[in-house]
Amino acid sequence: MEKEYEDILVTDRNGHVMFCDMSNAALFDLRYEDILNRNVLDLYENLTEEDSTVYQVLRTGKSVVDHEQILLTLKGNRIRQIGSTYPIIDNGTVTGAIEFSKYMYSEDSLKDLESYAGHRGYRQNNTIYCIEDLISGTASMDKLKYQMRKIAETESTVLISGETGSGKEIVAQSLHNLGRRFEGPFVSQNCAAIPESLLESLLFGTVKGSYTGALDKPGLFEAAAGGTLFLDEINSLSAESQIKLLKVIEEKRLRRLGDVKNIDIDVRIIVAMNENPLTSMREGQLRKDLYYRISMVQLNIPPLRERAGDIPLLLSYFVDFYNSNMPRKIKGFSRESLSILKEYRWPGNVRELRNLVEGLFNLAEGRTFTPADLPPLYRSGGTLSDLSDPSLSLNERLEEFEKKILMDTLKVYGGNSSRAAGKLGISKQNMYHKLNKYGLRK
């Protein structure tokens, strides 16, 4: 039977470790044999007798179940532990304690992931984000993070919906790093970027001879074995491709292109789309049978315009970030400029906000960003009224005008760049070029 815990630790009546089955010993900067006979308090920097569930159980003789606490390891890693501790009683006397625990890793501990994974023999898991990267102080985002923690430990397929730039990949990586598949790989793919002719071979793999030049090569499902496969913009897939994807999700096995045998897969699947799933289904972009299969667990990321209270927090966060990564020392935004940005609609969401701050850092003159530092589009509240500013060159005015048209069209089509390109009468390649130019595409 699969274990519902990661580590077991048994102590004597004085809190000294008598037995341990600790899969995470490397993260504690201790060898397995070093843990034995040590006092449980010596395994952490911040654990005291008052905080320790082991000591609490030894004192009271009563169990402590599903207790959550933040612990600081000897390496300085900050981890969230959820544990249940029970007394060992002999003839009515408490003679020791046994603790079952599991760990959720924070941003700090991810810094040591590569060396830790090497010690355990795992590959680096390809993530850079965890739940602490979802900067927020609003009720809607607090609810989202609460839901994420609830579902992270399950194996159910998750559907994430949110506008372009709202942070769907951050949510997906955070779910992976919160869950029991943390040590496995996180593999991400934007389905809109896959040519239809290459889709099956990329996702499911190939065998030698299946077509000219084909080799025995695993697909993304196999590459994500033991971990998570994140498929973004699945509504951009053709109906035929959606049928193939549905079959793999349902059966948890696949057949490489040109092969005759099936391969079982062990992978958690997270999918995302930048449109409302129900709208996409009604418009025929998303097959109903696929939607019903992937919609058991849904997470919706609220757009930035609906959580204006997070804007000051995000601006402060990115100012600190770029102060650390650029030769600048910026205090922040003036009250007037902050007021302007709180009224702005942010069609590009958090990604647009980050790009704005980075751009301001490149051109910074003073130590505080004022309204005069903001691009005309933001000063005009997202309208074109200020684009006639005589201080702007013709090219600058045209670029601001073009950027506004792109953002408005993308908003109409829920961030779907392919549909927006069709509406504007330009190729997808030209659309991607313009989105990259204006920082509107990751």
Side-chain angles (χ1 to χ4, degrees):
M1 184 176 69
E2 183 179 3
K3 295 190 297 185
E4 294 299 327
Y5 51 85
E6 290 179 347
D7 292 349
I8 309 174
L9 185 143
V10 181
T11 74
D12 63 16
R13 69 182 68 192
N14 297 314
H16 290 90
V17 179
M18 301 169 57
F19 170 84
C20 63
D21 177 10
M22 300 189 72
S23 59
N24 297 296
L27 191 63
F28 289 78
D29 200 24
L30 292 169
R31 296 177 303 168
Y32 176 86
E33 55 268 29
D34 291 335
I35 297 175
L36 294 176
N37 300 316
R38 292 187 67 145
N39 190 285
V40 66
L41 301 180
D42 295 335
L43 300 180
Y44 307 95
E45 287 282 0
N46 64 332
L47 192 61
T48 65
E49 289 189 19
E50 291 73 24
D51 300 328
S52 170
T53 55
V54 168
Y55 271 82
Q56 182 178 337
V57 167
L58 292 174
R59 284 195 306 268
T60 66
K62 297 180 179 179
S63 302
V64 177
V65 180
D66 290 336
H67 178 76
E68 181 177 337
Q69 57 187 329
I70 301 297
L71 298 172
L72 188 66
T73 72
L74 300 180
K75 292 185 69 173
N77 289 316
R78 180 176 174 269
I79 53 179
R80 184 165 62 96
Q81 182 204 56
I82 300 176
S84 295
T85 310
Y86 304 91
I88 300 173
I89 300 176
D90 184 17
N91 294 325
T93 302
V94 177
T95 60
I98 181 169
E99 181 178 75
F100 302 89
S101 59
K102 54 186 175 181
Y103 298 89
M104 313 302 175
Y105 300 85
S106 73
E107 183 179 19
D108 293 335
S109 64
L110 287 178
K111 295 175 183 177
D112 290 321
L113 174 61
E114 185 169 7
S115 59
Y116 169 58
H119 180 92
R120 292 291 312 281
Y122 293 101
R123 293 172 292 170
Q124 186 176 359
N125 78 354
N126 303 324
T127 66
I128 58 175
Y129 298 116
C130 62
I131 197 167
E132 283 84 359
D133 291 301
L134 288 170
I135 308 302
S136 69
T138 53
S140 59
M141 288 299 291
D142 287 344
K143 179 182 177 181
L144 174 65
K145 290 194 280 190
Y146 171 77
Q147 292 173 330
M148 289 170 61
R149 289 189 172 97
K150 291 267 290 183
I151 67 177
E153 284 295 288
T154 73
E155 295 294 304
S156 299
T157 299
V158 180
L159 170 60
I160 303 171
S161 61
E163 296 180 1
T164 297
S166 58
K168 295 185 290 295
E169 175 115 9
I170 296 178
V171 170
Q173 290 190 19
S174 298
L175 287 173
H176 177 75
N177 286 324
L178 282 169
R180 63 186 67 180
R181 291 178 175 268
F182 167 80
E183 294 163 337
F186 178 89
V187 177
S188 174
Q189 178 62 53
N190 188 311
C191 296
I194 310 175
E196 188 69 24
S197 59
L198 300 179
L199 179 72
E200 189 172 357
S201 60
L202 181 63
L203 289 179
F204 310 135
T206 59
V207 294
K208 187 175 182 179
S210 56
Y211 58 85
T212 303
L215 301 173
D216 288 324
K217 184 177 181 180
L220 295 182
F221 275 92
E222 290 182 75
T228 301
L229 177 61
F230 174 52
L231 299 175
D232 197 4
E233 294 195 54
I234 60 162
N235 52 312
S236 67
L237 296 175
S238 67
E240 181 182 359
S241 296
Q242 290 185 32
I243 293 175
K244 294 177 181 177
L245 178 62
L246 172 62
K247 182 177 176 64
V248 173
I249 293 175
E250 284 187 331
E251 298 181 357
K252 286 298 178 79
R253 61 181 184 175
L254 55 83
R255 183 178 297 176
R256 289 185 183 181
L257 185 63
D259 205 352
V260 294
K261 65 178 185 296
N262 293 322
I263 300 173
D264 293 329
I265 55 172
D266 173 28
V267 61
R268 185 178 194 178
I269 300 168
I270 300 177
V271 299
M273 50 196 307
N274 52 22
E275 297 186 13
N276 183 299
L278 295 178
T279 300
S280 188
M281 185 170 59
R282 284 195 298 266
E283 294 181 354
Q285 295 179 352
L286 181 66
R287 287 181 58 93
K288 292 182 180 180
D289 49 3
L290 178 59
Y291 170 74
Y292 294 136
R293 182 61 186 82
I294 63 177
S295 61
M296 295 176 294
V297 180
Q298 296 189 57
L299 294 174
N300 178 257
I301 307 175
L304 187 55
R305 63 181 173 274
E306 293 180 5
R307 48 187 182 101
D310 285 340
I311 292 174
L313 292 175
L314 288 164
L315 291 171
S316 177
Y317 175 83
F318 287 123
V319 166
D320 290 342
F321 175 82
Y322 288 115
N323 272 331
S324 300
N325 291 274
M326 287 189 178
R328 302 281 192 274
K329 290 300 176 187
I330 303 297
K331 291 182 178 179
F333 289 78
S334 69
R335 182 178 302 177
E336 295 77 15
S337 60
L338 185 59
S339 178
I340 291 172
L341 295 178
K342 289 179 69 173
E343 294 297 321
Y344 181 67
R345 298 291 290 170
W346 298 104
N349 290 289
V350 179
R351 184 182 302 151
E352 181 186 2
L353 184 146
R354 175 174 180 159
N355 290 339
L356 170 67
V357 177
E358 182 177 357
L360 292 174
F361 261 77
N362 276 276
L363 300 173
E365 295 288 348
R367 296 193 64 191
T368 301
F369 294 130
T370 68
D373 296 311
L374 301 178
L377 182 64
Y378 297 90
R379 297 201 304 269
S380 64
T383 69
L384 300 178
S385 58
D386 285 349
L387 298 185
S388 58
D389 187 341
S391 66
L392 296 175
S393 68
L394 177 60
N395 283 338
E396 288 174 329
R397 297 186 204 181
L398 291 174
E399 286 182 349
E400 291 290 347
F401 184 66
E402 183 178 54
K403 181 179 178 181
K404 178 66 167 59
I405 292 175
L406 290 172
M407 290 193 301
D408 287 347
T409 308
L410 284 168
K411 181 179 178 181
V412 170
Y413 290 100
N416 189 312
S417 54
S418 297
R419 297 180 66 194
K423 177 65 176 179
L424 295 173
I426 60 178
S427 67
K428 287 194 292 185
Q429 290 78 10
N430 193 14
M431 184 69 171
Y432 291 148
H433 169 73
K434 293 180 182 296
L435 296 181
N436 287 328
K437 175 182 178 181
Y438 297 118
L440 300 178
R441 181 169 181 258
K442 186 177 180 181

